[in-house]
Amino acid sequence: MVSTPVSSANKKAQDGQKMRWRTVLFAIVLLGVLSALAVTGMRNATAPEDKAFLTHLEFVAGNAFVVANPAHDIVLSTMTRVTDDPEYLSLPLRIWPRGTDITVTDWANGIPEIRYFPSTGHLELPHLSESRLSRVLAEFGERRTEKKATEALLRGLGTRVEVTAVVEFARPMTSVADGGGRVLLSPARVGKFPLYWDGEPCADSEGCEDLSPAERFRRWVDGLREEDRGTLDAFGLELAELRKAAREGKVYGEIVEGVTPVELEKLLKDPGIRSVRVAEVGLRCASSLSTECLPVPV
């Protein structure tokens, strides 16, 4: 059979159309394969599935945030993965400024988080507000209030208030009487707060009931590794400085909360106390469970 020019042209057109469809199908398949490989690669690069990795990052970053921010009450949660683009690891936090003028509604405002981006190793930290307590802590060991001036201030506060104050010891102590104390574990640090531990259970939550705050701090530092230096640096902390403080176990002062002016006056008479600086003053509430502070009766 002899082909006509028309049938030859039709055949060529059909062959060309088939070739185009094959090309489109190949492109679709190739795109799917590349997408799958890209997703798999991203997961391998940015979403480590090793539970030990997540646990250690939470151990280091969560407690470093507490150690570096003594002016705030910080409650840690559990690190989880957020599959946004880019994917990151989230450590939710409960944060409120430390002091007696905080109400129940303030405690519940927002859930900030520490974000870690495994693809870059970048840490994103929540911004913390400045307070009078943070300013007092920034001057710890450098600026002191004379005891007589503090005593006069306390006597003028009356009996219906409670105080948050920063206490500096005349000499560093190796322990404090209150095992749940909020202790300052270093002298003044240029441009930074003193190292701090809040007296909560050990970072690893095991066998901490009878340990002092300084010993609990040491337990955390003992769990830090050389490769944690970059993470610690994001919080303004140095591994060598932490290890030195943990090894010495010295307590330079503490933050006291919810104490009466009379209790602080007695503390001022202790020769082991170098200074007491009042940071916050608030009404003594008859009940801490109420959203409105009802002053304690005189």
Side-chain angles (χ1 to χ4, degrees):
M1 179 178 178
V2 179
S3 298
T4 64
V6 174
S7 64
S8 296
N10 286 340
K11 187 175 186 304
K12 287 181 180 179
Q14 290 173 356
D15 290 341
Q17 189 175 25
K18 288 179 181 178
M19 184 61 68
R20 285 194 295 274
W21 275 111
R22 286 173 183 167
T23 302
V24 170
L25 288 172
F26 177 78
I28 292 172
V29 171
L30 180 61
L31 183 61
V33 171
L34 291 176
S35 298
L37 289 174
V39 170
T40 302
M42 182 174 66
R43 282 176 179 167
N44 288 338
T46 66
E49 299 296 332
D50 186 359
K51 188 174 185 299
F53 173 85
L54 294 177
T55 301
H56 186 70
L57 181 62
E58 179 183 315
F59 170 83
V60 177
N63 289 288
F65 193 69
V66 173
V67 169
N69 294 287
H72 290 76
D73 266 321
I74 300 168
V75 178
L76 306 177
S77 185
T78 302
M79 183 160 278
T80 57
R81 192 183 324 284
V82 178
T83 55
D84 284 352
D85 186 17
E87 188 178 56
Y88 65 91
L89 305 179
S90 168
L91 180 58
L93 308 165
R94 283 285 185 183
I95 303 174
W96 57 93
R98 194 183 298 284
T100 54
D101 58 346
I102 305 303
T103 66
V104 173
T105 53
D106 291 323
W107 297 357
N109 284 340
I111 302 179
E113 61 184 353
I114 295 173
R115 292 184 176 186
Y116 174 75
F117 297 87
S119 58
T120 62
H122 174 68
L123 275 166
E124 188 177 286
L125 309 180
H127 173 73
L128 299 185
S129 59
E130 188 181 74
S131 64
R132 175 168 168 75
L133 177 58
S134 66
R135 293 191 290 271
V136 169
L137 285 165
E139 298 171 342
F140 178 75
E142 296 181 337
R143 181 179 176 184
R144 302 182 179 96
T145 303
E146 293 294 329
K147 284 189 174 183
K148 288 184 178 179
T150 302
E151 188 175 12
L153 170 63
L154 292 171
R155 287 180 177 174
L157 292 178
T159 59
R160 284 192 166 190
V161 300
E162 57 185 23
V163 181
T164 297
V166 177
V167 178
E168 182 184 0
F169 302 144
R171 293 182 180 180
M173 301 171 63
T174 54
S175 65
V176 291
D178 180 6
R182 295 169 170 84
V183 297
L184 304 175
L185 298 166
S186 74
R189 301 167 70 225
V190 178
K192 302 174 183 178
F193 296 127
L195 298 177
Y196 164 79
W197 194 258
D198 66 0
E200 295 301 318
C202 276
D204 58 14
S205 299
E206 294 181 3
C208 299
E209 293 79 7
D210 299 325
L211 298 181
S212 70
E215 290 170 326
R216 296 177 185 186
F217 172 75
R218 185 183 301 116
R219 176 76 68 89
W220 174 64
V221 174
D222 286 345
L224 299 176
R225 307 166 184 165
E226 290 296 323
E227 57 265 32
D228 295 326
R229 290 180 183 273
T231 301
L232 294 169
D233 184 63
F235 300 91
L237 301 172
E238 296 180 6
L239 184 57
E241 182 181 29
L242 293 172
R243 285 175 172 170
K244 180 177 183 292
R247 184 173 61 252
E248 293 178 349
K250 293 181 179 179
V251 180
Y252 291 79
E254 62 181 333
I255 301 170
V256 294
E257 297 181 87
V259 294
T260 66
V262 172
E263 290 171 323
L264 283 181
E265 282 187 63
K266 292 178 181 177
L267 195 60
L268 282 170
K269 293 178 170 47
D270 186 338
I273 301 300
R274 174 171 289 168
S275 71
V276 174
R277 291 193 64 187
V278 173
E280 305 284 354
V281 179
L283 288 174
R284 288 182 64 202
C285 299
S287 172
S288 60
L289 300 177
S290 173
T291 57
E292 180 181 358
C293 179
L294 301 175
V296 67
V298 177

